[in-house]
Amino acid sequence: MSSVDSTPKDAPAWGENALLEIVDGIAWVTLNRPDKRNAISPGIVWEMNAIMDEVEANDAAKVMIVTGAGEAFCAGQDLKEYFRIPDTWPAIERERLYRANSQWQWRRMMYFPKPTIAMVNGWCFGGAFQFMIACDIALAADDATFGLSEINWGIIPAGIVTKSVSMVMNQRDSLYYIMTGDPFDGAKAAEMGLVNFSVPREELRERTMAIAAKLMEKNPTVLRSAKAAYHHVRSMNWDTANEYLMAKHAQTNANDPERGSQKGMSQFLDEKSYRPGLGAYRRED
Ligand code: COA
């Protein structure tokens, strides 16, 4: 058996391989293995799942921003700690690791009940595409370096990487980068739709926080439903999607503790205090 622990840690639940700091509504989540370019080890997997439990439950956290410590966002799965060593584990333990990794990287991330932003501050390779794409919004530094490097070390982009890429990049770009493994920068990532924006490195944090602030002005119940609806309707036909969306709309209104749509309508139609086309209604009333 190896020196890498195959069991989830009891304590600390996080704070070693992944950090959490909640400031002014933003849950800053930082992959914290800078010496290994934040490559995803079992430690990151267990700690990220624990962090997501906390962010989900903690009312102080309104938006989650995921980034990396040091010069990397994330160099993908750790070739040694996630692949080579777990290959020596009993299959059931390896499968538990893979399942837990799928949980935080895309199953939970995609449907996370709070808005999520990937702040790509540097190297972003392979497995990192999974949670970066599963985040609702992604910003990159212009000079961040991306790559589907799997081909360079002899595997296909597995896990859910190829599927994720096909959701946001077109076929020509997807196959070009899957098959060549060529690296590309943040500006190219934005041009292809892999990230929303790329910005000068010195503006990355501020621009990401500005988007978080914008999201925090919106009704959190409606945000939660809106993103879930988006992901669900993608695989539905038009009639089913229409039925589902109308039902989701009714469910959202019924469950909304702040009665947002009534407020929004009243502030526009009666008070004439704002224009929905140009910004959000006042939530504090
Ligand atoms: N898995 C395991 N270890 C990794 C890693 C990964 N994905 N990415 C980086 N590391 C480790 C290196 O082995 C090295 O460890 P060491 O100091 O014990 O030798 C350390 O991180 C620093 O890496 P290094 O290559 O020296 O850093 P760099 O800044 O020169 O290059 C990268 C950065 C990201 C370009 C390079 O590390 C790299 O190509 N990593 C692999 C990326 C990849 O293919 N990911 C896909 C996995 S699915």
Side-chain angles (χ1 to χ4, degrees), residues 35-37 39 71 75-79 123 125-127 149-150 153:
D35 293 349
K36 300 292 181 187
R37 307 299 180 259
E71 66 195 68
Q77 303 308 124
D78 188 303
L79 272 60
W123 305 115
F125 287 99
S149 52
E150 288 88 341
W153 63 279

Side-chain angles (χ1 to χ4, degrees), residues 33-266:
R33 301 180 71 223
D35 293 349
K36 300 292 181 187
R37 307 299 180 259
N38 304 318
I40 297 156
S41 59
I44 284 188
V45 173
W46 312 134
E47 293 187 31
M48 279 304 300
N49 275 295
I51 282 179
M52 288 172 85
D53 286 343
E54 172 64 21
V55 175
E56 183 169 342
N58 192 323
D59 288 341
K62 312 289 184 200
V63 174
M64 181 165 80
I65 297 177
V66 184
T67 192
E71 66 195 68
F73 174 66
C74 172
Q77 303 308 124
D78 188 303
L79 272 60
K80 184 173 167 192
E81 293 201 21
Y82 189 85
F83 290 118
R84 178 184 279 172
I85 294 175
D87 279 350
T88 67
W89 292 353
I92 194 161
E93 290 188 23
R94 188 167 59 246
E95 284 162 18
R96 183 177 52 181
L97 172 67
Y98 289 176
R99 202 167 52 245
N101 188 57
S102 301
Q103 282 299 108
W104 86 265
Q105 284 209 12
W106 59 276
R107 283 203 170 90
R108 286 188 80 177
M109 190 65 87
M110 202 182 293
Y111 295 100
F112 198 65
K114 298 180 180 179
T116 53
I117 307 176
M119 187 173 93
V120 184
N121 55 305
W123 305 115
C124 177
F125 287 99
F129 278 53
Q130 302 184 131
F131 64 92
M132 187 269 292
I133 291 172
C135 283
D136 305 323
I137 291 169
L139 274 79
D142 289 333
D143 60 356
T145 301
F146 295 76
L148 290 162
S149 52
E150 288 88 341
I151 198 83
N152 292 334
W153 63 279
I155 67 164
I156 68 167
I160 204 74
V161 175
T162 296
K163 174 82 173 165
S164 306
V165 167
S166 76
M167 287 287 152
V168 290
M169 282 164 54
N170 69 33
Q171 181 172 315
R172 289 275 170 245
D173 290 331
S174 297
L175 284 174
Y176 182 84
Y177 288 105
I178 285 170
M179 295 176 76
T180 64
D182 281 358
F184 52 92
D185 65 12
K188 182 69 185 172
E191 183 194 315
M192 294 189 293
L194 178 59
V195 299
N196 295 86
F197 309 106
S198 91
V199 300
R201 172 169 299 276
E202 59 278 12
E203 292 174 23
L204 181 61
R205 195 176 162 89
E206 189 189 328
R207 294 280 295 274
T208 308
M209 288 172 68
I211 293 173
K214 191 178 294 197
L215 292 168
M216 284 192 271
E217 290 172 3
K218 316 290 183 199
N219 179 321
T221 307
V222 182
L223 280 176
R224 186 162 75 245
S225 284
K227 64 189 272 190
Y230 173 80
H231 289 299
H232 284 300
V233 296
R234 296 195 79 177
S235 59
M236 291 180 194
N237 66 35
W238 282 64
D239 286 315
T240 313
N242 183 215
E243 282 299 312
Y244 164 84
L245 286 169
M246 293 313 292
K248 190 77 180 166
H249 160 68
Q251 178 209 49
T252 306
N253 279 357
N255 288 348
D256 180 9
E258 79 179 41
R259 320 264 322 142
S261 61
Q262 283 90 338
K263 270 189 198 169
M265 266 194 268
S266 158

Side-chain angles (χ1 to χ4, degrees), residues 14 19-29 51 54-63 114:
W14 65 80
L19 311 177
L20 170 63
E21 194 187 8
I22 302 175
V23 184
D24 297 335
I26 298 177
W28 289 95
V29 177
I51 282 179
E54 172 64 21
V55 175
E56 183 169 342
N58 192 323
D59 288 341
K62 312 289 184 200
V63 174
K114 298 180 180 179

